[in-house]
Amino acid sequence: MVLTVRTNTTTSRASAALVLTALLAAGCAGGADDTSAPAESSPSVTPHGYVEGAEEAAEQQSRRLLGDPGSGRTRVLDLITGEVHRTADVAGATRLNTDGRFGYFDTSRGTHVVDTGAWTVDHGDHVHYYRAAIRDVGDLPVGPHAEVRSDATVTAVTDRDGRTRLYDRTELEGGGVPAARTLDGVHSGAVVPYEEHLLALTGDDGTTKVTVYDREGKRVASPDAECDEPRGDAVTRRGVVLGCADGALLVSADDGAFTARKIPYGEETPAKERATAFRHRAGSDTLTAPAGDRAVWVLDVTDRTWTRVETGPVVAANTAGEGSALLVLETDGALHGYDITTGKEVAATEPLLAAPGRTGTGGSGPVIEVDRSRAYVNDPAGRRVYEVDYNDDLRIARTFGLDIEPGLMAETGR
């Protein structure tokens, strides 16, 4: 068994390893009131954290799932080993979503699922990291442009008509496509699994309200809050953030009780400058979203405040949060770092993109993925992925050459 103590930075992993031996003896659940029999008297007991067919590791098994919309070829880039793994072709993919393990490719025939074989199980005070075989799962029988959201137990797929199908994610882990259950009602945008429930927006005429379902599909709550013209969502430690015409709606759960709080922009915001697609580091409470063509919104969910940072023309944006710079990939092909508080540029790279003005179809094109110590930028025309140390003046740490044009990229292993 491998137990990893939760840490705040990647540099503290070595320190965590020093206490590993002492913690192993107690196990994840051991304590003063643990009355289970000693291990030597129960040799057949399954170790805590054991997952059949997976190997437990001492650090996060970071991988990048990559897709080439033109050729349909896909790859998995293993950031631990530097190896690139071939996976099944996915023709016609225009968007890519992930839940931290599975990749969900949006295609004209439905949603295609790839198991990247890397994931994290978070127990609050400690985490388990796993790696397993990469495999092609198959197609979920839904139409194109479906919104897919997932947690450890359920995958919710909402089609263009607002109908939602629920899939048992544990069956996806077994390598097969499970039968679907249909959630009653019509929903605006994605249905989001959260805190053993499902959050949805229901209503019409541009005004929607939050509806909370249990996992069986029964309505159990409806917090008193509206979200006009909803677009965009993100799950944070503080709750689920939903993008609305006048700002954001934060839906949180406390001991089974759901509340919704508005986070207004605080100023009149034209429709083209609203936040409609959020990106952030997994586990962070700081979100980013383009604010039109030449600015970026930064939403601090903890403080419930918006900050607008004026930048150059925006291709993609993200941030590690917690005092880190805002990272913006601009149309000059370079990655720029901005101080979120002052709005001043603090660092910039040489141009990273082989064809800065080139854009892909649908949601394809360059993006910025961020983990606790590095940022990753895909360069489709240049057939490569850059690893950037955002704590060292945006130093290029590694460059991964590829045999595909990676117009789609998503982070897994988290």
Side-chain angles (χ1 to χ4, degrees), residues 189-402:
V191 172
V192 182
Y194 172 66
E195 291 291 324
E196 304 301 322
H197 289 76
L198 301 165
L199 302 186
L201 288 169
T202 58
D204 51 24
D205 298 326
T207 299
T208 58
K209 294 185 176 181
V210 177
T211 298
V212 182
Y213 301 90
D214 64 19
R215 289 299 167 91
E216 300 304 315
K218 178 184 177 182
R219 295 191 182 206
V220 296
S222 183
D224 185 19
E226 295 181 351
C227 182
D228 295 345
E229 302 174 30
R231 286 189 65 187
D233 57 88
V235 178
T236 74
R237 293 173 299 176
R238 304 286 177 179
V240 177
V241 174
L242 305 172
C244 310
D246 57 352
L249 190 64
L250 174 63
V251 183
S252 304
D254 184 8
D255 198 22
F258 288 83
T259 58
R261 300 177 179 87
K262 271 292 180 66
I263 308 177
Y265 288 121
E267 59 186 61
E268 188 68 26
T269 303
K272 66 178 182 179
E273 297 181 5
R274 296 173 187 167
T276 59
F278 298 105
R279 297 193 74 88
H280 68 305
R281 176 179 61 79
S284 170
D285 292 329
T286 305
L287 310 183
T288 65
D293 296 330
R294 302 184 62 89
V296 174
W297 286 113
V298 179
L299 172 58
D300 186 323
V301 180
T302 301
D303 292 340
R304 301 179 197 164
T305 57
W306 293 91
T307 300
R308 180 186 171 103
V309 180
E310 302 295 332
T311 65
V314 179
V315 174
N318 209 333
T319 182
E322 300 175 359
S324 296
L326 169 65
L327 304 179
V328 183
L329 189 64
E330 301 182 12
T331 55
D332 61 0
L335 183 66
H336 300 253
Y338 292 87
D339 183 293
I340 295 174
T341 302
T342 66
K344 294 182 178 179
E345 183 175 303
V346 295
T349 68
E350 295 296 320
L352 303 181
L353 303 182
R358 175 176 159 184
T359 58
T361 58
S364 65
V367 297
I368 305 171
E369 294 281 2
V370 180
D371 63 22
R372 288 184 177 274
S373 62
R374 296 288 191 269
Y376 297 85
V377 177
N378 57 320
D379 175 18
R383 296 192 168 199
R384 57 200 169 202
V385 171
Y386 294 100
E387 180 182 77
V388 181
D389 186 346
Y390 55 78
N391 291 314
D392 188 14
D393 292 328
L394 304 185
R395 175 179 60 87
I396 306 302
R398 291 187 289 179
T399 301
F400 301 94
L402 302 164

